[in-house]
């Protein structure tokens, strides 16, 4: 992996509308360091939240040179060993876009499921456009999508929008506008 710092590596890989600012992540690492973590090695960067009840993967990047060698799986296994639900956001599956297909397959092989009852769309402060993401999760005790939804709301309120006005000069939308839950979808998938 190039000699870029951890933020530059993430910034090159993730779309602008999904990226927190460097200041936002540094504030989280500094002020929420008890729950917001950076796991960095020569071939990966993983930013994640760990609470007593769950883990949220904010960013997971394995360098192109190391893909297919099991590093991503090892990183996920280290989080799974904590024995709590793991939640993450991914771009919607787009069969025209091979990266989204590979990403979905990687997480599926790792035992993650799509939370079909949870909707997630927010306006990016970087682009001012609506950004829709899918919620994927893994759970050691088969947590319901409703439980995952509650943990996702917690993450949005405490991590994604932490000090947003101070950092970005404007606020993200309220959690009630961004996350939706429709249990009819969960019942269809049961």
């Amino acid at each position: 992996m190039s000699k870029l710092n951890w933020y530059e590596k993430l910034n090159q890989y993730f779309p602008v509308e999904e990226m927190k600012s460097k200041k936002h992540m540094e504030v989280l690492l500094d002020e929420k360091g008890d729950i917001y973590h950076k796991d960095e090695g020569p071939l990966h960067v993983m930013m994640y939240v760990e609470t007593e009840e769950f883990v949220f993967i904010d960013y997971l990047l394995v360098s192109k040179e190391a893909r297919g060698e099991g590093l991503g799986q090892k990183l996920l296994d280290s989080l799974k060993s904590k024995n709590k639900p793991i939640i993450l956001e991914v771009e919607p599956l787009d069969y025209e876009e091979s990266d989204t297909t590979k990403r979905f397959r990687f997480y599926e092989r790792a035992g993650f499921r799509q939370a079909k009852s949870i909707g997630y769309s927010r306006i990016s402060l970087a682009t001012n456009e609506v950004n829709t993401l899918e919620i994927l999760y893994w759970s050691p005790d088969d947590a319901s999508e409703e439980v995952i939804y509650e943990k996702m709301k917690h993450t949005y309120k405490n991590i994604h929008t932490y000090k947003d006005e101070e950092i970005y000069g404007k606020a993200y939308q309220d959690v009630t506008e961004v996350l939706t839950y429709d249990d009819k979808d969960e019942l269809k998938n049961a």
Side-chain angles (χ1 to χ4, degrees):
M1 204 177 223
S2 60
K3 293 276 182 234
L4 299 172
N5 73 37
W6 62 272
Y7 185 80
E8 291 165 331
K9 290 173 189 175
L10 292 173
N11 206 31
Q12 277 190 351
Y13 182 74
F14 288 94
V16 62
E17 63 273 13
E18 290 178 29
M19 281 298 292
K20 289 176 176 64
S21 72
K22 186 172 189 200
K23 182 178 180 188
H24 189 172
M25 285 198 242
E26 286 172 340
V27 166
L28 287 168
L29 288 166
D30 185 43
E31 297 178 15
K32 297 252 187 185
D34 55 328
I35 61 166
Y36 194 79
H37 308 283
K38 174 175 60 166
D39 177 336
E40 181 182 12
L43 298 171
H44 77 279
V45 179
M46 180 169 65
M47 311 297 288
Y48 67 98
V49 175
E50 182 181 1
T51 72
E52 280 183 30
E53 296 179 4
F54 70 98
V55 173
F56 174 81
I57 300 174
D58 206 7
Y59 300 96
L60 173 56
L61 169 64
V62 172
S63 75
K64 284 188 170 60
E65 304 95 75
R67 292 209 188 124
E69 294 179 10
L71 178 57
Q73 186 60 55
K74 280 191 192 112
L75 292 167
L76 291 180
D77 287 346
S78 73
L79 295 179
K80 285 179 177 180
S81 70
K82 298 171 184 290
N83 212 29
K84 11 181 139 169
I86 302 170
I87 308 166
L88 54 96
E89 304 158 1
V90 295
E91 292 169 86
L93 190 55
D94 176 354
Y95 293 103
E96 307 292 307
E97 169 63 53
S98 70
D99 270 0
T100 65
T101 308
K102 284 180 193 157
R103 201 170 300 122
F104 256 87
R105 285 202 187 112
F106 167 73
Y107 286 115
E108 265 180 356
R109 281 195 307 271
F112 282 74
R113 296 192 307 220
Q114 188 175 350
K116 296 198 186 294
S117 57
I118 303 172
Y120 182 73
S121 287
R122 72 173 182 175
I123 296 171
S124 163
L125 292 183
T127 64
N128 218 23
E129 292 177 16
V130 174
N131 187 30
T132 299
L133 296 169
E134 300 292 344
I135 304 301
L136 300 184
Y137 70 100
W138 173 88
S139 174
D141 56 1
D142 212 25
S144 72
E145 291 192 9
E146 188 169 12
V147 167
I148 299 301
Y149 171 66
E150 291 304 320
K151 294 176 183 352
M152 202 48 229
K153 285 198 312 193
H154 178 275
T155 300
Y156 183 80
K157 289 191 277 194
N158 293 286
I159 299 296
H160 291 352
T161 62
Y162 185 65
K163 293 195 171 179
D164 52 357
E165 289 187 65
E166 184 184 314
I167 294 166
Y168 299 102
K170 52 187 168 181
Y172 275 108
Q173 298 146 279
D174 187 76
V175 66
T176 56
E177 294 174 38
V178 171
L179 279 156
T180 56
Y181 178 74
D182 183 352
D183 61 0
K184 289 192 299 286
D185 286 334
E186 186 171 8
L187 295 172
K188 273 188 273 185
N189 300 322

